[in-house]
Amino acid sequence: MTIAQDSPLYSHVEAVLASEITDGCLKIGDQLPTEDSLIARFEVSRITVRRAIQNLVNRGLVEIRRGKGTFVAAPKITQELTELSGFVEDMQALGRKPTARVIGKDLVTADMTVAGQLALTKGERVVRIRRVRLADGIPLSFDETYLPLELGKRIITNNLKTEPIFSLLERKYDVPLIEAEYKLEAVVAEAEVAAALRVKPGSPIFRIERTSYSTGGRPVDYEKLYYRGDLVRFVTRLARKASR
C-alpha cells in the first residue's frame, strides 16, 4: 500500500483514539490497546497503527514506555513567562489545584552564587526552603528558595504547605515584588531532584534561576526551580525592536 493510499487510514485511527482521549473514554495513565487489538479493531495494517500512534506521541497525547506499552499522557501545563507570578497563582489561573510538600527549612551559609544574587557577602547565613510543588497531586516542580536571614526567619514561621512565599512577602510582611530576573536552561535530573519529582535520574528537566527584587532594586528572594520536562512547557511573546 502506498503512503498516499495509507494516509486516510492512519489519520482515521489517530482521530478516533484522540477523540476517545479527549472525551475521557481513555483517561490519563490508561494503557492503549495492543497493536494487535488495534489492527483487528480498525482492520488496518501494523504500519498504519504505528503511524497513528506516532502521530499521537508527537501531539503529546500518548507516551511509549519501553517494555510496557503505550499510555495516555498527562497534558503539558503551559506557563507564560510574561509577568512575575508564583506557582500557586500560575496553577490557579490554569484551573489546577496547587499544593506543596515541605522538604526542609534550614539556616545555611551563602555560597558565592547565593550571596551574589542576594547582594550579600559569601559566608553570611541565609534561610533555605526546599519544597515540592504539586498540581492536582502531581509533582511538577522542586523549589529551592533562599532568603536573607531576618526575612527568612519570619517566613518559615508560617505554614508553607498552604501559604505561598510571594503572598507572605507582599501581604504579611509588606515587601512588594517589583520584578525578577529569569535564567532558564535544560538539564538532567540528579538523584534528589528526580526522587522529589518522581522521575528517573537523568530525565530531562528545566532549571530556572529566579531572583526577585523589591523596591529600589533590592533582591529579596533567590530560587532554583526544577520543572518536569515531560509535563511543563514555557511560552513567551517577543516584540521585535524597530529597525533604525
Side-chain angles (χ1 to χ4, degrees), residues 93-128:
L94 294 169
R96 303 297 184 100
K97 180 182 178 182
T99 54
R101 187 168 72 247
V102 179
I103 303 298
K105 298 181 287 186
D106 314 293
L107 298 183
V108 299
T109 56
D111 62 18
M112 187 173 294
T113 299
V114 172
Q117 294 298 318
L118 292 178
L120 303 173
T121 302
K122 180 182 176 183
E124 283 192 57
R125 291 203 301 168
V126 295
V127 169
R128 180 183 67 180

Side-chain angles (χ1 to χ4, degrees), residues 58-94:
N58 294 342
R59 292 168 60 181
L61 294 176
V62 303
E63 59 184 359
I64 297 173
R65 301 177 190 171
R66 293 192 178 184
K68 295 183 178 180
T70 303
F71 297 80
V72 178
K76 285 198 173 186
I77 290 175
T78 299
Q79 286 194 247
E80 295 189 3
L81 298 181
T82 55
E83 61 182 17
L84 177 56
S85 58
F87 183 87
V88 170
E89 295 165 318
D90 292 335
M91 294 305 108
Q92 289 177 339
L94 294 169

